[in-house]
Structure formats: structure tokens, C-alpha cells
Amino acid sequence: MVAIEIVRVDPVADLGLAEHILAVQKSSYAVEAGLIGDNRIPLLHESVDDLCAAQVHWLVARESDEILGAAAWSEAEIDRLIVAPHAHRQGIGRRLVIGMLDSIVGQRVQVATGRDNAPARRLYELLGFVHTEDQEVLTGLWLARYELDR
């Protein structure tokens, strides 16, 4: 069995990598869209150019050449956390969040997820994040916002 490794990457420098991350992102956010009953999640509709234009740092979880998940952050805000649907419930999301927390500068880390995305909310709460508010970002599309003081 090959171990899953968490590594820092730069999708801007590797279009193939960016496309692979985007494919995992779309499949991951399609699952969230099903959980929350709304497919208007902006990152579900992102292009490779959009992904590369994001001013964020990236980690990927990979096994051999397969990307099982990815995470991006800027300053003290988690921008996105994605895990391929076939790799759910294997601790990949947890490992990616911990990897980001090790790299984030600042004492207060912020993240948002779909209000009705129970698995993501449970992950953040288990890692010590505290729910701060629910926010309607588009009519009927709600986010749950969290913060972690470190």
C-alpha cells in the first residue's frame, strides 16, 4: 500500500496539476451541492484560469500520482478544502486542514462551508473551530462561518 502524502504545490506552474485539482474540486463540490440542495456554489463552476488566478497557497493529498484532495488558504483564511468523493472518510480532509493550520500566519483562522454540509461542519468543530454565524451569500444559499483562535 502506498502512503498518502500531503505536499505543497503550485498549480500555476503546472497546468496538468491545475486541471487535476479542478476535476477533484468539481466532484467534491458536486457532493456538497447535493448535501445542501443548491448547485450555485461558486467553486463548483470555477475554470482552470479562475483556479490559477486565486491568490492562495496550495496543499494536495496524493497517493502515487493520484490527487485525493486539495486545500488552499490565504493569510488566515481557509479558501477551500476538497476531497475526491471516493476518498471520503479516510482522514484526508483532517490532514489537509492540519497542514494548512501549520502554515497559516496569525492567531485567528477563518473558514466557511455550506450551512447544511454536516460532514464539513463536524470536521471543523472536531478540530476546535467555533461557529460564529450563518450568512446568506446568495438568495437561499447559506454558509456557516467558523473561527479558530490559536
Side-chain angles (χ1 to χ4, degrees), residues 32-39:
E32 182 171 21
L35 289 171
I36 69 172
D38 196 322
N39 71 352

Side-chain angles (χ1 to χ4, degrees), residues 71-122:
W73 73 96
S74 62
E75 301 289 320
E77 183 171 357
I78 295 173
D79 182 70
R80 66 192 81 191
L81 173 65
I82 56 175
V83 177
H86 74 275
H88 284 178
R89 310 218 27 95
Q90 295 180 27
I92 294 168
R94 177 184 177 82
R95 289 183 59 194
L96 285 166
V97 172
I98 290 169
M100 283 188 288
L101 293 176
D102 288 344
S103 298
I104 289 175
V105 176
Q107 296 303 306
R108 176 171 289 150
V109 181
Q110 299 177 335
V111 68
T113 189
R115 182 183 67 183
D116 297 328
N117 185 344
R121 293 187 70 165
R122 189 168 38 256

Side-chain angles (χ1 to χ4, degrees), residues 15-35:
L15 185 59
L17 173 65
E19 289 170 343
H20 197 162
I21 291 171
L22 184 64
V24 173
Q25 178 172 299
K26 287 185 181 251
S27 66
S28 180
Y29 282 113
V31 171
E32 182 171 21
L35 289 171

